[in-house]
Amino acid sequence: MAARLRSLPWLRIPPSAAAFSTAPSRGCPLHAALARRGAPAAASLALYSRIRAAAPPTPFTFSLLLAALASSSSPSTSAGGALLAACLAHGQAYKCGALAHPVVTNSLLKLYCSLGLLVHARMVFDSGAALDVVSWNTMVSGYGKGGELGAAREVFARMQERNLVSWSAMVDACVRAGEFGEALRVFDRMVGEKFSLDAVVLVSVLKACAHLGAVERGRWVHRYLETEGLAWKPGNVMLGTALVDMYCKCGCMEEAWQVFDGVQSGDVVLWNAMIGGLAMNGYGERALELFQRMIQKGFRLNEVTFIVVLCACTHTGRVDEGKEIFKSMQKHGIKPQREHYGCLGDLLGRAGRVEEAEALLLDMPMEPHASQWGALMSSCRMHNDISVGERVGKRLIELEPDDGGRYVVLFNLYAINGRWEDARAIRQMMEERGAKKETGLSFIEWNGLVHEFMSGDTRHPQTGRMYALLEDMERRLQRIGYIKDTSQVIMDMDDEEDKANTLSYHSERLALAFGILNIPQGMPIRIVKNLRVCRDCHVHAKLVSKLYQREIIVRDRHRFHIFRDGMCSCNDYW
């Protein structure tokens, strides 16, 4: 169908608009009806036909029609029906010469982008239709929301005129694509060009800071909000929520509480963020207390509320309480979804009840995703349950055959239990399929810059000093009884010395060495890792916190670990 549409005349340069009617039409009742949002596409097209029968359509007519079609698109609208309606409106706009007016072109671009039809939007954009800065912004935003960061970069780079919306759209595109460092670099360029900042771009920047653990950058945004008087105004709850989320994900709970308490008329999203942050940081009891306060205040709980509360139960091992909360969802008018079953399964699995967790996932009314099975597999590895782990591991490989991490976990489980033939078969399967394991990365912020490390990294200018410190650190730890746990480093090597060396230079250890070398005594060392912290690195961080008298805060894929004086906030339960 797309090939046929490319040959249609209205996807090429529009004719002159000399004969196009510009008669006023804003007082027309039919136009007023067309301006109402949410009507079915067929109804909007019928209204347009009646308007056209009464008088020649104007740019105002087409802007209303295209906006109405964009608002009518929903998950229930068939892709073919939405495309047909958009193309019919496009054809009418072309025939009437309406694409010589930027307001009509922009409405058409927004329509195609809202439908995810980025190829069609680009055809209009490149066809010679009248464009302005709004047109360029629409394409950058459309590509960003569609996950096409490269195309968004290309359009943004070609812009001769940029405004606040242009920069906001580009920062958002980077955040949506997971390029958080690039998002902050784009934002720095925006600030350097003296653009004013609004809530939209600052929320995107706070999201990037949260993912990178860039708390100093987040604090800069906080100070800016207070200086400019943007913070805590009614209607700015999204900024407060973004700040709470950022502080929680950076492990700064006192500051998160201060922001939370300062937001007026907080909504359920703000409370969810605070409960989730408490759970992630190991304050499960306080999270559950806040949940009870939420109920007492009469908030209408939503699906996310129960996800974060069940996570709080998971991090504190409260199995019975978690099961009761899960059962109470129906009382609050919420039907448990896949994510809620996954949270309950994770709670059971971490508590060692892996067979019960497996039965729950098998009996749930919808098909579990790989993420739910993956959480159970982590529990099988934690409790060394080979019987359930084998079934779950094979299922995961079927679901995600290109994810090397799925093979590695099952391989290690086989190897730990001495099932070497099965382990070799899994390794061979992984190699034959070319599956790759996700690269472990750790991030640490200092002096406004975010430093990235991977295992065995030698790219950093301080590599020599960092490796020397790690070697000295290991010698000192061995004197107090530290022995490397190489049981989880089996997949890629057979020699014990190689395994030990690999552990010595995991990404989080390199980040830790950088922190000790650069961050003054008395300041916490904050590290963000994209994967789960391994057992040996967890023991290592506890000992380092005691030996060097440093507070080490590590956020991994699942939760926070706050290491102080040889202890971890997770109580070795993660």
Side-chain angles (χ1 to χ4, degrees), residues 179-230:
E179 295 293 340
F180 306 112
E182 182 178 351
L184 295 183
R185 290 191 292 273
V186 172
F187 177 70
D188 288 342
R189 288 171 56 198
M190 177 185 180
V191 172
E193 295 193 20
K194 309 299 182 185
F195 278 91
S196 60
L197 308 177
D198 68 356
V200 176
V201 71
L202 292 174
V203 166
S204 294
V205 169
L206 287 170
K207 287 179 182 177
C209 293
H211 281 278
L212 292 172
V215 66
E216 292 304 323
R217 299 294 298 274
R219 286 174 176 146
W220 181 92
V221 173
H222 191 174
R223 289 193 296 270
Y224 178 88
L225 291 172
E226 292 183 332
T227 302
E228 298 297 318
L230 294 174

Side-chain angles (χ1 to χ4, degrees), residues 41-66:
S44 298
L45 289 170
L47 275 171
Y48 166 75
S49 296
R50 292 174 62 190
I51 292 170
R52 189 180 178 203
T58 69
F60 181 60
T61 307
F62 282 108
S63 65
L64 289 179
L65 171 62
L66 294 165

